[in-house]
Amino acid sequence: MTNRWDGIDEVVAVADAGTFVAAAKRLGSSTSHVSRAVARLEQSLGAQFFHRTTRAVSLTDTGRTLVDQFRRLIAERDEAIAMLDLQGEPQGHLRITCPTALGERFVAPIVRAYVQDYPKLSVDLDLSNRVVELVSEGYDLALRTGTLPDSRLIRTQVATRGIVTCASPAYLAAHGTPETVDDLESHDCIPATLDMWRYRVDGEVRTIRPRGRWRCSNGTAVFDAAIAGMGLCQLPAFYVSRAIADGTLVEVLAEFRPEDDPIWAVYPQRRHLLPKVQRLIEKLRRELASAMAQG
C-alpha cells in the first residue's frame, strides 16, 4: 500500500525550484517520477498543490498553506535520522537567517564554502533584517547582533563587531570636529537603522538621538552619504574601516566608542546537536571575526 505521505519531498522540491524539471535535478530523479509522486499525493489528500501551465508552475492557496508544513515534516524526519549519528557528515537541508549587510559581506561566503565541503547538504540563506520566528517559520539557525531578549532559543557568541562614529574630512573642515558626545547636538547626523547612537562615557552607556536632514535604513547608503560630506554617521566598523585607513573618513569620539556588539548564533534547542548546525557554528566561530577584520 502506498504511504499516505509519499510525495512531500517532491512537492517541496517543486515549490522551491519552480519547475518539475528543476525539482527532479535537485532530487536526483526523473521529471516523470516527480510528476507522478506529486499527483499521487494530491489524489491521496484530495487537494491540488500547483497550478500547471506549459510554461510555469505556481502554488495554489492550498499548496502555499501546506508546503511550509511539509518542510517541517521533512526537517523533523531528517533531524531524527541525523540524531542517530551525531558525529556524522552534515546532510539534509539547512535554513539560515542573517542580517542583510553582515550576510552579504561575510556570512554568505563562509556558508557557501561550507556547502561545497559537504555534498549531501543544501542551504537556504535568507538575508533580511526582519527578526524571524525560528521555530514557527522552520529555521535552523539565525545570526543576530547586540542584546537579545530572553527566549527559549539557544545562543552562542561567534564574533563581535565594533561601532564607529566618523565623517568625511570635508565635513569636519566645514563644521568642526566634535570633542564630546554633547557636541553632536550641533552637528548634522545621518541616522541609519537604529534611532539611538551609543557611547561609553565615564564607564557607563550613554545614548543620544541623532538628528539630521537625511536618514536611510541601509548602511551602505549611509556610508555613501558620509563620504559625500552630509554629516556624521555611526556604523559597524566593517562598513568604514577601509575608508578610515585611507583617510576618506575620519573617526571621531574614539575615546567614547561603545563596547563591541556580540554576534550570536541562535538556534532552537532541539537542533543544537545536529552536525549540520554544530559544524557551521564552529566554522563561523573560526572564520567570521577574521573575515570582518579584513573588511
Side-chain angles (χ1 to χ4, degrees), residues 16-265:
D16 290 342
T19 68
F20 283 81
V21 173
K25 290 181 179 179
R26 176 175 293 192
L27 294 172
S29 62
S30 67
T31 304
S32 60
H33 167 80
V34 172
S35 180
R36 288 195 298 268
V38 171
R40 282 196 302 268
L41 185 57
E42 287 180 323
Q43 184 177 9
S44 174
L45 298 181
Q48 183 178 350
F49 302 136
F50 299 103
H51 297 296
R52 302 165 173 84
T53 69
T54 56
R55 294 186 178 182
V57 175
S58 61
L59 285 164
T60 63
D61 289 342
T62 299
R64 278 190 292 272
T65 299
L66 288 178
V67 74
D68 286 337
Q69 301 293 331
F70 287 169
R71 284 195 183 96
R72 282 193 280 275
L73 284 170
I74 292 169
E76 295 287 350
R77 179 200 65 196
D78 292 347
E79 183 174 313
I81 294 171
M83 289 295 287
L84 297 174
D85 183 7
L86 296 180
Q87 302 306 313
E89 177 182 342
Q91 58 185 289
H93 192 61
L94 181 60
R95 297 189 73 207
I96 309 165
T97 178
C98 179
T100 303
L102 183 68
E104 287 176 345
R105 292 190 178 205
F106 309 111
V107 174
I110 292 172
V111 174
R112 184 172 64 243
Y114 183 64
V115 174
Q116 290 173 325
D117 287 340
Y118 298 107
K120 295 181 181 179
L121 182 70
S122 63
V123 167
D124 180 355
L125 176 60
D126 175 29
L127 300 184
S128 170
N129 293 327
R130 180 177 70 91
V131 179
V132 306
E133 292 291 335
L134 267 65
V135 176
S136 63
E137 296 185 45
Y139 282 87
D140 300 288
L141 183 68
L143 275 294
R144 292 178 179 166
T145 61
T147 302
L148 301 181
D150 291 335
S151 72
R152 296 169 297 166
L153 302 175
I154 307 300
R155 68 188 75 177
T156 183
Q157 187 172 321
V158 294
T160 61
R161 65 173 189 179
I163 302 295
V164 179
T165 306
C166 56
S168 69
Y171 174 85
L172 296 176
H175 301 276
T177 300
E179 301 293 338
T180 70
V181 174
D182 290 330
D183 291 344
L184 294 175
E185 294 290 335
S186 61
H187 280 270
D188 287 326
C189 296
I190 312 171
T193 304
L194 299 178
D195 289 332
M196 305 298 288
W197 287 3
R198 292 183 292 114
Y199 296 93
R200 193 158 188 85
V201 180
D202 296 329
E204 296 184 355
V205 176
R206 168 91 179 275
T207 60
I208 67 107
R209 186 178 299 277
R211 293 184 293 184
R213 297 182 299 116
W214 197 80
R215 172 190 291 270
C216 183
S217 61
N218 179 272
T220 299
V222 169
F223 169 79
D224 290 341
I227 294 286
M230 292 187 67
L232 297 150
C233 69
Q234 187 179 84
L235 287 170
F238 63 76
Y239 279 105
V240 299
S241 56
R242 289 187 179 180
I244 290 173
D246 66 22
T248 308
L249 290 174
V250 177
E251 182 176 4
V252 300
L253 303 174
E255 64 270 37
F256 303 111
R257 255 202 199 200
E259 291 185 354
D260 291 353
D261 283 336
I263 300 175
W264 305 98

